[in-house]
Amino acid sequence: MILAVITAVTAHCGVSGAVIPVNTAKLWAQASERWSYSATVNINDEHVLHRARPEILGAQNEPDSNGTAYLEGTNLDINQRWKDFAPSLYDFPLVRLGGSTTEAYSLIRNVGKFSTRRGSETVSPYHEYKVTPAARMGPVEFIKWIREINPDFTYLVNLSMTSATPEENAQFAAFLTHGATQSRWGAMRASLGFAAPIKVFAFELGNEIDWNWEAQGWTFNTNVLDWYTQTAAAHIAAIEAICPEAVFMGCGKTAPWEDGIGGASVKLWTDGVLQAIGHKLKYLSAHPYYDGMPIAYMDAGFDVMTNSIETILGADSGVELVMTEHARYGGGPGDTTGTMINLFAALSAAQFLNRLQARSNVGGATFHAMANVQTSIWSLSYLWDEIWYESVVGRMYHAYAKGMGDRVMESAIDAGGAAYANPASSDCRLTVTASAEGAHTLKLILVNGMENNGVNLSFNFQNTYKLVEETVFTAPNLSSFVYDDSSRNIASIVTTAKNEENFGAYHMPNKSLVVLVLETEQRLPALDEPLYEITQDGLTVNINPSDYDADGGNITVIAAYYGAGGRLVGTETREVDAGLTTLQRLGGFTIPAQIGAEGKLFLWGGGLRPLTDAVRIE
């Protein structure tokens, strides 16, 4: 993580289970809605942006060398206390074992019987030499620990570049992924109770390795870049030699905002990594800790990284960003206000997830951290005075997941330029994600981080919907957090069945996350669907845009207009430059005015992919 490794905070307040001073009356005081804004939510339910990524609902944890909170006595079994608590958590699909302390470990040295484990030591000549003792809570125990939450989770493997050799990391990759009879490493894993290989998302090459050790900051340094790209290339080569199917994640700009919006360091570091090893990567990492810096500020950094990927590797490279740590920034171990675990933190995380879903090149995100012990810092769960609690942030994930469909649709909020709904503003607090599930279900995730302001929302759709379910996640006020057993349910999740035909308006409550489930009789488009099916007046028309041409750098774009009853009224063909095939750049392409009555316009390009949404013609 960006801050130094945290030590425990144990300022007891006399309340059973709590470890920080708590003004309980303040945490339970109900923040009333003093006034309401008005805004319009525009949902283009005929334009699929990309596949929804459940991998953004991931978590991560630092290694715990001792493991006393999770392990049974002096042996290496997961204790009953965790086994009893873990099933109550959201079943995170992606989990990372990583962070600052991971850089101090060679993971392969910390598997097997504890008596055979070895300490790790710094192997980089550019980093301070230190020796780290063998860990009781090694990667095998970590896998067992997380499987108590989700037996089918996928492991994001953070490999040290400073305390493990390329050969050691290759051995650990084989330990995780080889068959039981494929190598001694696969056989070792099977002997430890894992007959099948472990599901691996990617091998992440280092943690926050872009730290400028000369200037002691996040600014760009050529020496650091050269050391990292050479070291990472050696680790990739060693791993590929015995695990040829391995997937790699490079260390992107940890803090892509430190020298201003779109600052030079972001581009210099990203360009350097991609030019050296980009052809070997599937992902780039970043560690945004928001509210210390606005999310809008970080988005600009992500845009710079995205532009570097497209410029150096090509727009179709498939390299994606993964936020391998994210959370609301806070004051560290001295913070006694619950800043990192309260409702404000939960709604900030939810807004961040909404904004990630709007980006087409995000492969996943892992919240920091899954668990902490005797401290009030970032936590989805925490152990206070021998009792496990789920934080308000952890509880939010249950609600957010209810709104995840299988493909993200185009959506935007129009509040007349007001900052609270402007993604470019540091004061943005209202966001939306729309996603389809199956052929007839649309799900909306609405997040309102304003403590005293509700919003009267009106909706624009292409289709007609019935509201069938509403889920509301909230707490008394933005400062509310779980501090002892009596406050476990200080945050609530209420799901209500609905039967509201012709849905078009909703009052968004203050300080809340809302999931709305809508149903339509019309068929919603599938992901990358080459055929559009339109039903009007009971008649289904399948449009097959087979007449397209991609020769000579141009793409023939076909506009097909369908009026009442699905009758083909007219077509128009134009050629546009192949580089101008995005929704934003095709604004000047129009259908002839003589076509007449109300209908819909569709545009397609090479590969039979829709280039823009269905545009209603008046």
Side-chain angles (χ1 to χ4, degrees):
M1 57 188 153
I2 292 175
L3 295 181
V5 179
I6 303 296
T7 55
V9 179
T10 56
H12 290 264
C13 67
V15 180
S16 175
V19 298
I20 62 176
V22 176
N23 180 342
T24 58
K26 178 182 177 181
L27 300 189
W28 286 97
Q30 190 64 237
S32 60
E33 186 175 308
R34 297 174 185 168
W35 56 82
S36 293
Y37 295 135
S38 295
T40 300
V41 181
N42 296 306
I43 308 292
N44 190 341
D45 46 1
E46 292 180 346
H47 182 209
V48 180
L49 294 178
H50 45 257
R51 178 178 73 84
R53 298 295 182 89
E55 296 86 356
I56 69 168
L57 301 183
Q60 88 98 35
N61 219 72
E62 299 265 356
D64 184 330
S65 60
N66 195 332
T68 54
Y70 318 110
L71 301 179
E72 193 70 58
T74 58
N75 62 35
L76 301 180
D77 294 328
I78 304 302
N79 63 34
Q80 193 61 45
R81 180 175 57 195
W82 177 258
K83 289 182 178 181
D84 292 341
F85 171 72
S88 67
L89 298 175
Y90 174 67
D91 54 345
F92 300 93
L94 177 67
V95 184
R96 173 188 189 243
L97 175 63
S100 301
T101 49
T102 308
E103 274 298 327
Y105 286 99
S106 170
L107 295 174
I108 194 63
R109 293 188 179 198
N110 288 280
V111 299
K113 295 180 180 179
F114 184 69
S115 60
T116 66
R117 297 182 185 181
R118 296 174 292 153
S120 304
E121 58 184 336
T122 306
V123 296
S124 164
Y126 299 102
H127 293 77
E128 180 184 358
Y129 179 80
K130 60 183 177 182
V131 176
T132 304
R136 290 180 68 243
M137 187 76 173
V140 168
E141 291 71 37
F142 166 78
I143 293 168
K144 291 179 179 179
W145 179 59
I146 298 300
R147 284 189 171 180
E148 294 295 333
I149 303 171
N150 181 359
D152 195 41
F153 89 98
T154 301
Y155 180 10
L156 199 170
V157 185
N158 186 203
L159 299 174
S160 173
M161 297 289 100
T162 61
S163 301
T165 66
E167 293 71 27
E168 286 177 329
N169 278 339
Q171 291 164 4
F172 186 64
F175 173 83
L176 294 175
T177 64
H178 278 191
T181 60
Q182 186 176 351
S183 69
R184 59 174 288 208
W185 305 109
M188 177 187 290
R189 183 199 65 249
S191 71
L192 295 173
F194 302 103
I198 306 300
K199 289 169 55 179
V200 171
F201 180 80
F203 293 98
E204 183 184 5
L205 303 165
N207 176 79
E208 299 185 358
I209 215 71
D210 57 316
W211 174 258
N212 183 345
W213 60 69
E214 295 176 356
Q216 291 296 294
W218 294 109
T219 53
F220 176 75
N221 183 294
T222 300
N223 293 332
V224 178
L225 174 67
D226 291 344
W227 167 80
Y228 174 67
T229 54
Q230 293 168 16
T231 301
H235 285 256
I236 290 171
I239 294 171
E240 283 189 327
I242 58 176
C243 302
E245 302 300 317
V247 174
F248 298 101
M249 181 186 301
C251 180
K253 202 71 190 77
T254 296
W257 56 83
E258 82 293 334
D259 55 356
I261 296 178
S265 291
V266 183
K267 179 173 171 55
L268 288 169
W269 177 267
T270 307
D271 285 359
V273 169
L274 295 176
Q275 288 164 352
I277 60 173
H279 62 293
K280 293 291 187 180
L281 303 180
K282 171 62 178 171
Y283 304 107
L284 276 180
S285 68
H287 288 182
Y289 282 79
Y290 30 86
D291 295 335
M293 294 286 189
I295 296 176
Y297 204 48
M298 299 174 182
D299 267 339
F302 302 151
D303 288 341
V304 173
M305 296 171 73
T306 298
N307 289 336
S308 290
I309 292 170
E310 294 179 352
T311 301
I312 295 171
L313 302 179
D316 59 350
S317 70
V319 173
E320 298 177 323
L321 304 179
V322 176
M323 313 307 162
T324 55
E325 292 183 24
H326 74 93
R328 185 191 184 197
Y329 190 80
D335 186 340
T336 60
T337 62
T339 301
M340 296 169 274
I341 54 175
N342 60 18
L343 180 62
F344 196 128
L347 295 179
S348 289
Q351 180 191 159
F352 184 69
L353 294 174
N354 268 358
R355 295 171 76 123
L356 289 187
Q357 293 215 65
R359 307 183 74 93
S360 62
N361 67 331
V362 173
T366 49
F367 184 91
H368 179 77
M370 178 69 79
N372 267 303
V373 180
Q374 293 297 109
T375 176
S376 61
I377 64 171
W378 308 286
S379 300
L380 297 166
S381 61
Y382 32 77
L383 183 70
W384 287 357
D385 286 355
E386 308 303 313
I387 301 173
W388 278 108
Y389 300 94
E390 182 177 41
S391 74
V392 172
V393 183
R395 192 157 174 79
M396 179 274 294
Y397 273 77
H398 297 272
Y400 194 96
K402 291 175 70 66
M404 290 281 288
D406 54 58
R407 57 203 188 277
V408 180
M409 316 297 279
E410 184 182 2
S411 62
I413 299 176
D414 181 0
Y420 74 86
N422 181 359
S425 170
S426 60
D427 294 321
C428 182
R429 293 292 182 269
L430 182 68
T431 56
V432 62
T433 291
S435 61
E437 183 175 80
H440 301 284
T441 300
L442 187 69
K443 295 184 173 183
L444 307 181
I445 303 174
L446 296 157
V447 180
N448 179 7
M450 296 181 286
E451 186 162 49
N452 299 113
N453 296 354
V455 187
N456 293 317
L457 299 175
S458 59
F459 292 83
N460 289 328
F461 304 102
Q462 272 67 52
N463 297 301
T464 302
Y465 289 93
K466 177 171 71 173
L467 174 63
V468 298
E469 187 178 270
E470 172 199 54
T471 296
V472 180
F473 163 81
T474 190
N477 60 70
L478 291 180
S479 299
S480 300
F481 67 92
V482 176
Y483 55 87
D484 70 355
D485 201 59
S486 70
S487 62
R488 282 187 184 274
N489 295 316
I490 198 168
S492 61
I493 299 176
V494 178
T495 298
T496 307
K498 297 285 187 176
N499 186 24
E500 184 179 331
E501 301 281 357
N502 298 312
F503 173 78
Y506 182 78
H507 180 76
M508 180 68 192
N510 57 324
K511 48 151 180 86
S512 61
L513 179 157
V514 171
V515 172
L516 302 177
V517 180
L518 312 175
E519 298 287 346
T520 181
E521 294 182 358
Q522 288 80 36
R523 180 182 176 276
L524 298 173
L527 184 67
D528 290 338
E529 186 174 53
L531 301 182
Y532 263 80
E533 179 181 271
I534 306 170
T535 301
Q536 294 181 344
D537 299 338
L539 176 63
T540 297
V541 178
N542 289 309
I543 306 168
N544 188 355
S546 59
D547 183 19
Y548 72 95
D549 182 9
D551 294 334
N554 289 329
I555 297 175
T556 299
V557 178
I558 300 160
Y561 174 86
Y562 283 77
R567 182 169 60 88
L568 176 62
V569 180
T571 63
E572 179 75 4
T573 300
R574 301 283 180 87
E575 287 195 346
V576 296
D577 184 274
L580 301 178
T581 57
T582 66
L583 173 62
Q584 294 78 13
R585 295 168 185 164
L586 272 175
F589 186 77
T590 58
I591 199 73
Q594 66 266 25
I595 284 183
E598 181 179 1
K600 295 181 180 181
L601 168 68
F602 296 84
L603 302 179
W604 296 274
L608 304 185
R609 294 188 55 151
L611 296 180
T612 185
D613 54 325
V615 181
R616 188 165 297 280
I617 309 295
E618 299 295 341

